[in-house]
Amino acid sequence: MAKVKGDIIIDIEKCKGCELCIEACPQGSLETSRKVNNKGYLYIVKVEDTCTGCTNCALVCPEGGITVYRKTEKGKEQIAKISNVTKDMELKVN
Amino acid sequence: MKELKLMKGNEALAEAAIRAGCDAYFGYPITPQSEVLEYLSREAHARTGMVVLQAESEVAAINMVYGAAGTGKKIMTSSSSPGMSLMQEGVSYIACAEVPCLLVNVNRGGPGLGTIQPGQGDYFQSVKGGGHGDYKLIVLAPSTVQEMSDFVKQGFDLAFKYRNPVLILTDGALGQMMEKVELFPQQERKFERLDWATVGKPADKEKNVITSLNLKAEAMEVINIHLQEKYREIEKNEIRYEAINCEDADYIITAYGLVARICTKAAQMAREKGIKVGVIRPISLFPFPYKAINDYASKVHGILDVEMNAGQMVEDVRLAVNGKVPVEFYGRMGGVVPDPDEILKALEEKIVGVAV
Amino acid sequence: MSMNERDLLEDKHFEQVISDESICTKENIVYEKPETLLDVSMHYCPGCGHGVAHRILAEVIDELGIQQEVIGVAPVGCSVLAYNYLNIDMSEAAHGRASAVATGIKRVLPEKYVFSYQGDGDLAAIGTGETIHTCNRGENILIIFINNGIYGMTGGQMAPTTLPGMKSTTSPFGRDVATMGAPLKITELLAQLPGTYYVTRQSVHKPLNVRKAKKAIQKGFEYQKLNKGTCFVEIVSNCPSNWKMTPVESNKWLDENMLPFYPLGDIKVPKD
């Protein structure tokens, strides 16, 4: 299988620096910044280029502030095979 | 053809609810109004599909009303004094959230568990607040079984006209007594999507929220000002009262509900003795007919207010009269219904005997 | 300390990695904020489980495509303003009465999806009566119960679910079961009632738990469609502010202390 490459974008103005995403990240990609956002929170930033797009950080983010991206060398088709929380449920209703 | 029937007040009210196209009733048994819940449980669903649910308490019932009425449907509940007290928190929320609905209080003697006999001790609770904060209910006080029926329909109309809860304030005697009533024709239950109601957010519209909360003081004041403006509008348009033989009267008795009928008899007896007495019966207790009473006060020597309580509406009568003539009070409490003789005696002793 | 001072003190022990534009494209999105969750900052304290619970609820609403068919009821408590974050029709109930309000809505709109979202004080103290009777009647609603063992909004008082020995502002020496009663396991209690169809206890403190909790909420709505009775999803959550811990510590404490007392998993599952 091709190597999975992921990335995230953190909405730093929503971030309250709770650090739950740091705890959840299996790659150790995240850290608390030394800068504050407009609300005065030390927000979270990505510091290692090791993201696999596993979505753990976004799952535990109480602010809904993390968007997760994922890409393989072979392109889009591969992505669909990877367990994706937004698509892993059967929709039985309606 | 007229549809006439001999019915108990509570049953006429329940029948009227079905005919008015009421969508749901949530209630809890309490004497002397349990017939409403019983009658609806028996009749309503089969006839119109109306939802009738016996809640686990009056607290739950009023909150079911809050939720259901938030959908813009015709929703009602009924109770009697102690149960009504339990509902007051919910009533305050409903008034602030501007959810139209119909409430019925079949007043019994209080305070506390009191009695199961009729009373009028809930006037203050109904008219002056009851729950917390600055809010008003539109309060209608029937004096006949016919009005018990008619006011249900009018009550729903007023509730939706002003997006305000309407209360029918009646008493145990009217609820229990049987009279001839002309029933109005069955109205269709129809569902209209109202622009403020919580029925599911359409894709092209903003969501609706039914709430009484606003944490910003200035914004909450705006809501308060809006409510007060609405109440002033109601005061302008919806005052209802009945003046019985007042045109040539030297004295006036003020009374509401069933007591007004007893006072009408007392006034008749007074006229037989040569004392010209009229009766003013406020029908809408909020908005109160201050001006009408003030106008009549200019023409008479004194006013006797009669109630089945320790003197509650008399405060509004005194405000209306504003010192023009003496206003005296006669009341019975604890569930005792006054008879015409004692009212006439009180009139003679407190008003006719002393007034100039 | 001003921002500039902070910048000066920065020890540069790490470098922020700028997002890769070739990866961060629309077609590569695998996770984003659900549409039903409004794009606003929530008032919850940092690390509070309410935000996650709101988000997964919104995700389920989006994925089931029921945004136009759902009506929610907010409680009194920290989540009193839930309607500011969820882009659906909502009603804000009096304290403890959310399930009665939801009953009223569902009874007159039986074809819609109705849920209440309540905290432990709301659902298991002041609203116990409404909760039990709503479940006993088997109202076809979903009740989402956030249990963090404390009154958050009023400032950390003892809740019906506060653990034995746990300190709060009204049990400053720890909850004394002899005088204050034992924590109420209302979820187990409700599972005994014939009206409940699906009763489960979940948490949102770890990624896997978040996914399970989301699945439970989804089931709650699906069973509602089938008119099977009340679905009840408890979410054991944290309260960093009133537990006086960092968010990370609070989730660890939850794992070590709350979960042994409130074990996760389905308590009542449909037979068919």
Side-chain angles (χ1 to χ4, degrees):
Chain A
M1 196 181 130
K3 190 177 172 253
V4 180
K5 182 82 180 141
D7 206 344
I8 58 165
I9 291 180
I10 299 172
D11 184 341
I12 58 165
E13 289 310 329
K14 273 193 189 148
C15 181
K16 291 173 186 161
C18 72
E19 302 187 341
L20 294 182
C21 52
I22 298 178
E23 194 73 6
C25 178
Q27 303 293 326
S29 304
L30 304 170
E31 255 302 347
T32 303
S33 151
R34 294 301 166 102
K35 292 180 180 171
V36 293
N37 62 14
N38 286 341
K39 284 204 169 75
Y41 290 113
L42 295 164
Y43 53 87
I44 308 299
V45 291
K46 197 178 75 166
V47 294
E48 296 289 344
D49 198 11
T50 48
C51 180
T52 61
C54 74
T55 72
N56 276 5
C57 56
L59 280 170
V60 297
C61 175
E63 311 305 324
I66 304 178
T67 308
V68 186
Y69 302 83
R70 199 187 285 156
K71 189 186 181 184
T72 64
E73 280 154 15
K74 284 186 181 174
K76 255 173 85 181
E77 288 135 83
Q78 290 274 337
I79 297 167
K81 288 183 188 165
I82 303 164
S83 169
N84 173 354
V85 289
T86 62
K87 297 282 186 327
D88 69 345
M89 292 182 184
E90 291 170 45
L91 306 189
K92 292 174 201 150
V93 179
N94 288 330
Chain B
M1 207 182 79
K2 280 185 185 175
E3 198 179 344
L4 293 171
K5 223 173 166 186
L6 185 67
M7 290 184 103
K8 264 190 178 186
N10 285 337
E11 292 178 345
L13 185 132
E15 175 65 29
I18 300 171
R19 288 178 182 242
C22 179
D23 291 295
Y25 171 95
F26 302 95
Y28 186 82
I30 183 171
T31 308
Q33 67 80 50
S34 297
E35 291 87 352
V36 180
L37 176 56
E38 288 172 348
Y39 189 95
L40 289 172
S41 302
R42 200 166 62 228
E43 297 275 330
H45 189 72
R47 279 170 52 188
T48 65
M50 174 179 167
V51 173
V52 181
L53 181 60
Q54 178 173 335
E56 63 271 27
S57 68
E58 286 91 349
V59 177
I62 193 69
N63 284 287
M64 290 173 186
V65 168
Y66 174 77
T71 68
K73 295 202 173 197
K74 282 185 174 174
I75 313 296
M76 72 179 286
T77 185
S78 65
S79 190
S80 179
S81 307
M84 218 60 207
S85 295
L86 269 174
M87 289 189 183
Q88 290 306 317
E89 183 201 28
V91 173
S92 174
Y93 278 63
I94 286 171
C96 184
E98 299 195 85
V99 177
C101 60
L102 184 66
L103 318 169
V104 180
N105 181 1
V106 185
N107 200 161
R108 66 189 227 186
L113 197 50
T115 76
I116 56 168
Q117 319 298 335
Q120 293 185 321
D122 299 353
Y123 179 90
F124 284 154
Q125 186 199 60
S126 310
V127 173
K128 306 292 179 189
H132 55 286
D134 286 307
Y135 73 90
K136 290 284 183 190
L137 308 176
I138 298 173
V139 184
L140 302 175
S143 72
T144 60
V145 172
Q146 183 66 54
E147 284 183 340
M148 291 280 273
S149 164
D150 295 345
F151 287 2
V152 170
K153 194 159 161 254
Q154 288 176 32
F156 273 124
D157 290 345
L158 286 170
F160 280 89
K161 183 177 175 187
Y162 293 100
R163 271 188 72 183
N164 205 68
V166 172
L167 172 71
I168 295 179
L169 179 61
T170 179
D171 64 64
L174 258 176
Q176 295 297 324
M177 77 188 204
M178 291 184 93
E179 276 190 311
K180 184 178 72 179
V181 53
E182 184 188 338
L183 298 167
F184 57 85
Q186 177 68 48
Q187 294 184 323
E188 205 190 327
R189 265 185 66 214
K190 51 184 175 206
F191 178 54
E192 212 182 316
R193 181 185 265 274
L194 299 170
D195 56 8
W196 52 264
T198 47
V199 294
K201 184 195 100 70
D204 56 342
K205 279 196 177 143
E206 292 278 295
K207 65 178 170 165
N208 286 328
V209 177
I210 301 286
T211 182
S212 59
L213 173 75
N214 209 316
L215 292 173
K216 290 197 177 78
E218 289 79 8
M220 193 64 217
E221 192 185 34
V222 169
I223 293 170
N224 267 281
I225 290 168
H226 162 71
L227 288 176
Q228 291 304 319
E229 282 169 354
K230 182 171 82 173
Y231 302 146
R232 299 296 89 76
E233 192 65 21
I234 292 169
E235 282 169 346
K236 214 160 67 188
N237 302 332
E238 306 301 342
I239 290 172
R240 287 140 209 239
Y241 66 95
E242 188 184 14
I244 306 156
N245 297 327
C246 289
E247 288 315 311
D248 64 340
D250 292 324
Y251 307 96
I252 275 175
I253 303 176
T254 52
Y256 75 92
L258 183 70
V259 182
R261 287 169 70 176
I262 303 166
C263 291
T264 308
K265 175 67 181 171
Q268 246 178 44
M269 287 159 60
R271 280 183 183 261
E272 281 160 20
K273 289 173 90 172
I275 313 165
K276 285 195 254 179
V277 179
V279 174
I280 294 179
R281 173 171 80 94
I283 294 171
S284 57
L285 302 182
F286 177 83
F288 191 79
Y290 289 107
K291 187 173 180 305
I293 292 175
N294 184 279
D295 288 349
Y296 280 111
S298 312
K299 303 177 194 165
V300 298
H301 305 304
I303 293 176
L304 180 71
D305 178 80
V306 184
E307 297 172 66
M308 288 192 287
N309 57 35
Q312 299 193 11
M313 185 177 80
V314 67
E315 293 190 1
D316 281 324
V317 175
R318 287 195 173 116
L319 277 173
V321 171
N322 201 13
K324 277 184 180 172
V325 288
V327 177
E328 294 295 337
F329 173 74
Y330 180 73
R332 297 298 299 266
M333 291 168 286
V336 179
V337 182
D339 63 38
D341 293 318
E342 60 184 289
I343 293 171
L344 178 57
K345 189 160 167 271
L347 181 78
E348 286 177 321
E349 283 174 4
K350 294 182 174 214
I351 300 287
V352 183
V354 291
V356 189
Chain C
M1 196 190 296
S2 78
M3 242 175 93
N4 286 341
E5 284 169 317
R6 201 187 289 280
D7 284 350
L8 288 171
L9 287 170
E10 200 166 343
D11 57 6
K12 297 277 180 195
H13 74 300
F14 59 72
E15 294 274 337
Q16 182 176 345
V17 177
I18 304 303
S19 296
D20 185 339
E21 279 176 21
S22 73
I23 301 175
C24 295
T25 58
K26 215 171 170 195
E27 52 273 21
N28 286 343
I29 289 177
V30 288
Y31 200 94
E32 63 181 333
K33 177 192 79 61
E35 241 173 74
T36 294
L37 191 72
L38 287 162
D39 195 13
V40 292
S41 190
M42 293 188 259
H43 73 278
Y44 301 113
C45 303
C48 175
H50 272 308
V52 181
H54 284 15
R55 198 193 67 235
I56 56 175
L57 173 61
E59 283 173 13
V60 171
I61 290 169
D62 278 2
E63 286 166 27
L64 295 178
I66 58 172
Q67 190 193 20
Q68 298 177 39
E69 307 297 324
V70 67
I71 299 142
V73 182
V76 169
C78 285
S79 49
V80 66
L81 295 170
Y83 54 78
N84 282 350
Y85 312 129
L86 296 169
N87 194 18
I88 54 172
D89 276 5
M90 285 193 79
S91 192
E92 204 292 298
H95 196 23
R97 317 300 168 214
S99 67
V101 173
T103 297
I105 298 170
K106 185 68 181 182
R107 287 287 177 135
V108 296
L109 296 173
E111 72 284 4
K112 305 281 180 182
Y113 297 90
V114 178
F115 71 88
S116 73
Y117 184 104
Q118 304 175 253
D120 40 45
D122 193 85
L123 181 137
I126 193 168
T128 313
E130 282 76 6
T131 305
I132 288 177
H133 283 280
T134 300
C135 292
N136 194 49
R137 284 191 303 267
E139 298 291 343
N140 278 308
I141 61 167
L142 167 63
I143 299 176
I144 298 170
F145 168 43
I146 308 294
N147 174 13
N148 60 6
I150 208 151
Y151 281 78
M153 176 179 257
T154 45
Q157 294 82 10
M158 185 179 69
T161 51
T162 298
L163 297 178
M166 185 175 164
K167 284 182 182 173
S168 72
T169 58
T170 51
S171 58
F173 311 108
R175 182 175 189 150
D176 175 11
V177 171
T179 56
M180 298 163 180
L184 182 59
K185 288 187 176 178
I186 194 153
T187 308
E188 277 83 350
L189 194 154
L190 295 170
Q192 303 302 312
L193 304 174
T196 50
Y197 186 68
Y198 172 56
V199 180
T200 186
R201 181 182 286 124
Q202 304 293 336
S203 77
V204 290
H205 71 303
K206 286 179 179 171
L208 181 64
N209 296 98
V210 175
R211 296 169 67 153
K212 285 183 177 170
K214 179 178 169 184
K215 187 83 185 169
I217 292 171
Q218 185 198 347
K219 280 185 188 170
F221 280 119
E222 285 176 345
Y223 294 141
Q224 186 172 155
K225 178 79 176 176
L226 305 172
N227 288 331
K228 292 289 191 182
T230 311
C231 292
F232 191 91
V233 178
E234 173 178 345
I235 295 175
V236 181
S237 190
N238 60 352
C239 184
S241 294
N242 287 303
W243 289 1
K244 307 194 190 310
M245 297 173 194
T246 67
V248 173
E249 283 166 5
S250 75
N251 275 352
K252 193 160 175 278
W253 195 88
L254 182 152
D255 209 56
E256 290 166 0
N257 297 274
M258 293 285 277
L259 296 189
F261 196 87
Y262 298 111
L264 301 183
D266 290 343
I267 297 167
K268 187 178 191 178
V269 285
K271 286 179 207 84
D272 40 291

